Amino acid sequence: MRFFMFLGAVMIITFIYASFSAKERKPLHSVGGFTMRHDIEEKVTRKINGSNNHGKTIENYQHTERGIMPEKKNLVLVHSSMEGFQTFSADLNPLPKSAENEDIKNIIRNHLLKYPRKPKKRPRNRNQSLKPLTTASSVKTSRAAPVLPVLTPVLTMKLYETGHLNEEIDIQRICTHGGSSLKLLILITSAQSHSMERMSIRQTWMHYASRRDVGMAFVLGRTTNATLNESINQENYIYGDMIRGNFIDSYFNLTLKTISMLEWTDTHCPRVKYILKTDDDMFINVPRLLDFIDGKKDTRTIYGRLAKKWKPMRSNKLKNFVSHQQYRDAVYPPFTTGPAYLLTGDIVHELYMHSLRTFYFQLEDVLITGILAESLNISRVHVDNFCNRRIIFTPCRISFAISVHMIKENEQYNLWRKLMDSTLKCKVTIFENQKHPQLL
Ligand SMILES: *[C@@H]1O[C@H](CO)[C@@H](O)[C@H](O)[C@H]1NC(C)=O
Ligand SMILES: *[C@@H]1O[C@H](CO)[C@@H](O)[C@H](O)[C@H]1NC(C)=O
Ligand SMILES: *[C@@H]1O[C@H](CO)[C@@H](O)[C@H](O)[C@H]1NC(C)=O
Ligand SMILES: *[C@@H]1O[C@H](CO)[C@@H](O)[C@H](O)[C@H]1NC(C)=O
Ligand SMILES: *[C@@H]1O[C@H](CO)[C@@H](O)[C@H](O)[C@H]1NC(C)=O
Ligand SMILES: *[C@@H]1O[C@H](CO)[C@@H](O)[C@H](O)[C@H]1NC(C)=O
């Protein structure tokens, strides 16, 4: 039995390797210090020299498309490219042969477990000894430097554990019918301890979640603090709007949170038209956002506040320090800043799969909307209404803004009232993407 499982695994892996070699000839460039997916696959292809002909039968299958059976295939693709990667990357520990076999068995077992039935079971955590997690202790940093868990490149799939704690969540309420009737899904990344922030959002702009065509939820990580965990369980039992991923909440893990958000959308809401990623210190002017979306028929686009030619912080005294090993180039590709950005639904799957295949990068906006979007040829569009900073709280400014940053929990009510109270409404007509109205 074990032998046949292994044989089956080898066949599947070979088959998938072959599918890599049969396509992906587009000369997409690598960005920064990142080996992008095609580079990785190049190497995989070279390594498995000779099996190209097997790929012919499936060479038309586009694994980046939301096709007939994308999830099934993609899981295998991810893991197989990982196996391939491990054997040549100097940064990662080579797997002992027996461990590799064990790994393949796990992949197949998890795959079988995951897909024929409800996707309840998530892949078992890998044996820690296989994790090439370079900790800060093994990397020279100055005393003042923040403790960064990963300074040498590590593939994100090595850090990311798939799956969500969807307990007490009515997925149908957040996203009806896989999102086919949903115009907008707003996912709000939130810290464990921010229960007051969540409350003020629930009592103000989260009101729009009651619309049939709008879904909203918070996205959190995991905590080891049992007390905090219990209070989050209670909060979620009452509101049922807290999606929890399988990562420990921390600044360095923010990228994992965004990836978790992409995974959830890809799994439970794959047909939604637009996804807004935002944070719990934001005010979102949902009616203006819905106006903005209305009538748009675009694809493969990210809207937001575009950051052009931003430079990596090279001083290791800074919180967002980026080493040359992590990112080589002098500037980042254009990206939309993290507090709020809007994705078209068609790119969620691709972004999710590709994020796992790149090296981990702790600046989620730079990675997802910059580096990955660049390599996937996704356009980024600047929209001035995404303020993503604090503004003066006048009715006109508020009604102009789609997103306002650095809003304390008690300020949500103020902004909400100024937006909703018809006696306070801005008298000036505001156009999409006009320059910020200085005179208002
Ligand atoms: C790869 O293919 C070439 C030519 O087909 C062959 O000479 C070489 O031995 C192969 N390498 C491996 C590792 O199989
Ligand atoms: C990993 O597996 C090896 C061999 O089965 C075992 O000795 C070791 O304790 C495991 N490590 C962890 C962290 O589970
Ligand atoms: C937190 O609560 C969830 C849901 O009940 C549970 O599955 C998990 O084990 C808890 N974690 C801790 C650290 O208590
Ligand atoms: C756990 O969470 C509770 C409630 O938020 C907090 O009071 C306590 O200090 C936390 N414990 C630890 C060890 O962080
Ligand atoms: C997240 O961050 C914590 C603390 O920084 C770290 O221990 C953990 O390994 C990180 N990754 C995940 C998947 O939780
Ligand atoms: C990138 O996308 C644009 C349209 O947005 C298209 O015209 C162009 O051919 C694409 N480039 C590649 C390399 O696919």
Side-chain angles (χ1 to χ4, degrees):
M1 178 59 190
R2 283 180 139 234
F3 174 73
F4 282 110
M5 273 183 104
F6 173 63
L7 200 70
V10 170
M11 280 173 72
I12 289 172
I13 301 289
T14 315
F15 194 61
I16 299 306
Y17 276 162
S19 79
F20 279 152
S21 53
K23 55 184 183 55
E24 274 311 328
R25 283 287 170 268
K26 267 187 272 169
L28 287 168
H29 49 287
S30 87
V31 185
F34 284 77
T35 306
M36 302 309 292
R37 175 180 54 110
H38 34 88
D39 292 345
I40 294 172
E41 286 166 4
E42 263 316 277
K43 290 176 191 167
V44 170
T45 308
R46 243 182 280 133
K47 182 177 160 279
I48 55 144
N49 179 15
S51 52
N52 290 15
N53 47 345
H54 298 301
K56 289 254 161 61
T57 50
I58 54 164
E59 73 185 342
N60 292 328
Y61 181 73
Q62 284 286 324
H63 74 277
T64 52
E65 251 171 44
R66 301 166 154 230
I68 318 107
M69 38 180 278
E71 285 83 6
K72 237 180 187 169
K73 212 137 198 171
N74 280 324
L75 184 83
V76 183
L77 281 172
V78 169
H79 286 290
S80 62
S81 74
M82 173 171 69
E83 302 307 326
F85 189 79
Q86 274 170 334
T87 55
F88 58 75
S89 170
D91 298 316
L92 311 173
N93 302 328
L95 282 172
K97 255 280 168 289
S98 61
E100 192 166 4
N101 295 347
E102 198 56 46
D103 243 349
I104 292 169
K105 274 189 244 163
N106 285 338
I107 290 162
I108 301 304
R109 198 181 306 132
N110 289 326
H111 181 72
L112 292 176
L113 279 173
K114 192 164 178 177
Y115 286 101
R117 278 160 229 287
K118 282 184 193 162
K120 258 236 137 73
K121 201 123 185 172
R122 60 185 136 72
R124 198 171 60 110
N125 204 358
R126 297 171 161 279
N127 187 318
Q128 291 297 313
S129 64
L130 302 179
K131 278 197 179 175
L133 233 178
T134 311
T135 55
S137 59
S138 65
V139 179
K140 255 196 212 143
T141 49
S142 87
R143 256 170 288 125
V147 180
L148 294 177
V150 183
L151 286 178
T152 52
V154 172
L155 274 188
T156 307
M157 65 179 75
K158 297 252 160 207
L159 304 174
Y160 185 70
E161 206 185 310
T162 58
H164 298 91
L165 186 61
N166 282 321
E167 232 170 68
E168 313 292 356
I169 292 180
D170 182 358
I171 292 173
Q172 285 303 316
R173 205 181 72 190
I174 298 169
C175 180
T176 35
H177 307 117
S180 49
S181 56
L182 213 60
K183 208 186 271 180
L184 174 67
L185 175 67
I186 299 184
L187 293 175
I188 309 152
T189 55
S190 180
Q192 306 276 345
S193 58
H194 289 184
S195 60
M196 292 303 287
E197 283 82 348
R198 286 189 292 274
M199 268 333 290
S200 62
I201 289 174
R202 285 190 189 105
Q203 289 166 351
T204 56
W205 51 272
M206 207 169 180
H207 162 79
Y208 279 92
S210 61
R211 278 177 62 137
R212 190 182 294 276
D213 57 351
V214 178
M216 289 195 207
F218 294 100
V219 180
L220 292 89
R222 205 170 48 179
T223 175
T224 50
N225 181 336
T227 320
L228 187 56
N229 193 49
E230 190 43 39
S231 69
I232 284 170
N233 286 344
Q234 283 176 15
E235 184 183 337
N236 188 47
Y237 176 75
I238 303 286
Y239 296 101
D241 58 6
M242 295 159 82
I243 297 163
R244 280 177 282 173
N246 278 313
F247 54 90
I248 304 283
D249 249 321
S250 70
Y251 174 75
F252 190 81
N253 284 352
L254 276 184
T255 301
L256 297 179
K257 198 178 261 186
T258 305
I259 293 171
S260 187
M261 187 198 91
L262 292 171
E263 188 202 351
W264 194 90
T265 309
D266 189 36
T267 311
H268 300 290
C269 205
R271 286 189 286 279
V272 64
K273 291 196 188 65
Y274 290 92
I275 300 100
L276 182 82
K277 180 264 164 191
T278 190
D279 297 340
D280 64 6
D281 62 346
M282 298 291 292
F283 177 79
I284 302 299
N285 181 343
V286 186
R288 165 123 345 256
L289 181 56
L290 288 170
D291 274 358
F292 175 77
I293 287 170
D294 253 4
K296 277 207 161 50
K297 290 223 167 49
D298 48 358
T299 54
R300 305 185 63 75
T301 307
I302 301 173
Y303 296 98
R305 178 147 289 270
L306 201 62
K308 281 185 186 161
K309 303 207 165 139
W310 281 27
K311 295 188 174 76
M313 296 295 171
R314 296 303 192 190
S315 160
N316 61 10
K317 290 186 179 62
L318 295 169
K319 190 184 180 189
N320 45 5
F321 161 66
V322 169
S323 69
H324 282 91
Q325 267 175 306
Q326 279 192 294
Y327 191 82
R328 195 176 46 204
D329 291 357
V331 293
Y332 294 129
F335 66 96
T336 54
T337 59
Y341 52 83
L342 184 74
L343 314 166
T344 54
D346 58 338
I347 54 176
V348 169
H349 183 73
E350 267 171 90
L351 282 174
Y352 170 54
M353 298 315 285
H354 285 69
S355 66
L356 297 178
R357 293 191 184 96
T358 52
F359 291 118
Y360 189 74
F361 197 59
Q362 67 273 29
L363 308 176
E364 62 89 19
D365 47 3
V366 175
L367 178 68
I368 305 287
T369 75
I371 294 162
L372 285 175
E374 182 93 357
S375 94
L376 291 169
N377 195 25
I378 292 166
S379 38
R380 273 97 359 120
V381 176
H382 178 78
V383 179
D384 214 39
N385 306 66
F386 283 85
C387 296
N388 289 5
R389 60 182 161 82
R390 247 184 114 81
I391 59 168
I392 303 165
F393 295 172
T394 62
C396 280
R397 297 247 175 160
I398 294 164
S399 90
F400 169 83
I402 286 177
S403 57
V404 187
H405 192 197
M406 301 205 283
I407 300 304
K408 295 194 202 79
E409 83 224 20
N410 60 323
E411 290 170 337
Q412 294 282 3
Y413 304 102
N414 185 2
L415 284 155
W416 177 246
R417 188 172 102 81
K418 284 182 172 158
L419 184 67
M420 286 295 135
D421 189 338
S422 60
T423 64
L424 294 177
K425 271 199 177 136
C426 180
K427 308 288 187 296
V428 183
T429 314
I430 290 172
F431 302 101
E432 178 183 310
N433 226 355
Q434 77 187 56
K435 277 280 157 258
H436 201 280
Q438 298 302 326
L439 301 173
L440 305 182

